[in-house]
Amino acid sequence: MRVAIVAESFLPQVNGVVNSVCHILDHLAATGHEAIVLAPAPAPPAYAGFPVHPIPGLALPFYRSVSVGLPGRRVTRTLSGFKPDLVHLASPAVLGASGAAAARRLGVPAVAVFQTDLAGFARQYGLGAAGGAIWSWLRRVHRGAARTLAPSRATLRELSARGIPRLALWGRGVDLELFHPRRSCAALRRRLAPGGEVVVGYAGRLAAEKQVHRLAAVADLPGVRLAVVGAGPSERSLRRRLPEAEFLGLRTGPDLARAVASFDVFVHTGSNETFCQAVQEALACGVPVVAPAAGGPLDLVRPEVNGLLHPPDDLPGLRAAVARLVADASLRARLAGQARASVAGRAWPALCEELLAHYRDVLEVPMPVAGSPGTLSVDGTAPRDPPPPCTA
């Protein structure tokens, strides 16, 4: 197959969307397919032997390291030159809207992968009033796709309730060789817990939507050393709020795996995760997880088996769950012993083959007729007098 991937973000950014796209490209290369990538500038010239076409973009004013690609006719020209069999829209929003419109113009089916809870993130940045408009826009984008893939059952239900059609479930893979209990580093553990404390850690972006400040609820637990892996616009404020925490900076690859595998307990703080790859990587490292009972973690964390869940936005519940694991070494060891087995079937090659099966399935299904509800113009803008939102 010839697959054009329109990615809302790509290297050198580090996030879940980029991670997924890179693994998909690796698999397409390994299995003999052809691909190109369209992504916001700056971007590398190529990845996995496939050309990357940078699209001019603008940096977000509240997150300067993130660039949003601008919709335009360049997307259509690039796709037309490549002649794809299928367009893959990775977490489509702005650039992805242009990709969806271009695919329709060219008569090529698009598969959209929903990955980012934009409305939830808007709430964290004080833009909650924009939630309705965001969902209205996302409905238009996803109605232009032959299929939308949701990463978790909770997200699947949310998308259905929001009127997004043609849904299917597609999770995320994990590198089981990279993320492994054997990566635990004795030297790092001595640095983090010189007195044999329980290392409670977080890994991910340090940004408002991740709600990392909630770690303050567990920072003063007796016998705990708090470790934070990651970088982002909230780092300075988090350092002030968590003065006793050890900030390990941005880590990727083996360095990230060593840090996570050296934790005793992994805490995920945010309540707006559509999947939460960091939770899956911690489980692969044999680390029990504490997370909110919301979104993607509901598919990953099995209470009393590989971790503990607490009510979303409940800081006393978060503290109680972590305190329980800190105080009970036997429970911690039992959950750790079952953590890796809980994700053993989620290696990236298997998940990428599932994705290719979705591609093949879509290529046998006619596209919706142009002009049907949700059609986008070629520059990614919505038509006038749009139909009313669908209801579940």
Side-chain angles (χ1 to χ4, degrees):
M1 288 179 282
R2 295 174 65 81
V3 180
I5 297 181
V6 181
E8 208 67 43
S9 61
F10 195 58
L11 299 171
Q13 294 181 40
V14 178
N15 57 46
V17 175
V18 176
N19 181 56
S20 295
V21 169
C22 288
H23 280 289
I24 292 166
L25 291 168
D26 289 337
H27 191 77
L28 291 173
T31 50
H33 301 282
E34 294 295 325
I36 61 170
V37 181
L38 290 77
Y47 181 85
F50 300 132
V52 177
H53 298 266
I55 304 299
L58 293 174
L60 295 177
F62 52 85
Y63 202 154
R64 301 299 301 178
S65 64
V66 175
S67 179
V68 175
L70 298 176
R73 293 184 179 272
R74 179 180 298 196
V75 174
T76 302
R77 290 197 300 268
T78 304
L79 293 180
S80 179
F82 178 62
K83 296 180 172 57
D85 298 312
L86 178 138
V87 174
H88 175 118
L89 306 173
S91 195
V94 181
L95 183 59
S98 193
R104 293 183 66 85
R105 180 183 176 88
L106 298 172
V108 176
V111 171
V113 177
F114 188 93
Q115 196 156 342
T116 306
D117 180 4
L118 294 177
F121 287 3
R123 287 194 300 272
Q124 299 305 318
Y125 285 98
L127 302 172
I134 290 172
W135 278 113
S136 179
W137 175 250
L138 291 176
R139 273 192 294 272
R140 300 185 193 287
V141 175
H142 285 273
R143 285 176 187 166
R147 181 167 299 177
T148 289
L149 301 178
S152 64
R153 289 175 178 83
T155 302
L156 192 71
R157 290 191 294 270
E158 172 78 357
L159 295 181
S160 178
R162 295 289 182 177
I164 292 177
R166 298 180 292 280
L167 293 167
L169 185 66
W170 179 65
R172 298 293 178 271
V174 62
D175 188 334
L176 293 171
E177 289 301 312
L178 178 61
F179 293 95
H180 196 285
R182 65 171 174 263
R183 298 280 184 178
S184 181
C185 176
L188 179 58
R189 285 191 57 83
R190 285 194 297 270
R191 169 186 165 186
L192 296 175
E197 297 91 345
V198 175
V199 179
V200 175
Y202 165 88
R205 287 198 312 280
L206 306 185
E209 70 271 14
K210 297 297 184 179
Q211 300 168 305
V212 189
H213 64 276
R214 292 177 173 176
L215 290 174
V218 303
D220 64 342
L221 285 173
V224 164
R225 285 299 308 276
L226 196 59
V228 177
V229 175
S234 298
E235 182 172 352
R236 183 176 297 178
S237 64
L238 287 169
R239 285 181 177 272
R240 290 195 300 267
R241 191 153 187 176
L242 304 169
E244 302 302 320
E246 183 80 15
F247 283 79
L248 300 176
L250 176 64
R251 296 190 175 211
T252 60
D255 283 344
L256 172 61
R258 277 192 291 270
V260 174
S262 299
F263 297 162
D264 295 303
V265 177
F266 184 93
V267 175
H268 178 68
T269 49
S271 301
N272 301 308
E273 296 296 325
T274 60
F275 182 75
C276 198
Q277 182 71 350
V279 164
Q280 186 166 241
E281 290 168 352
L283 294 172
C285 288
V287 180
V289 171
V290 173
L298 288 171
D299 281 2
L300 297 171
V301 180
R302 298 165 57 192
E304 309 295 334
V305 176
N306 61 4
L308 299 174
L309 294 173
H310 62 85
D313 308 319
D314 181 1
L315 294 185
L318 166 61
R319 181 180 175 89
V322 173
R324 183 181 170 202
L325 288 179
V326 169
D328 192 339
S330 62
L331 173 62
R332 204 165 62 240
R334 178 171 64 81
L335 300 187
Q338 299 171 136
R340 183 171 172 82
S342 70
V343 296
R346 294 179 175 266
W348 268 113
L351 270 292
C352 286
E353 280 301 311
E354 288 183 15
L355 177 63
L356 294 187
H358 284 295
Y359 287 175
R360 296 185 185 100
D361 192 30
V362 161
L363 287 171
E364 296 177 357
V365 178
M367 284 292 293
V369 176
S372 62
T375 298
L376 296 167
S377 66
V378 68
D379 64 355
T381 59
R384 294 181 181 180
D385 301 319
C390 290
T391 57

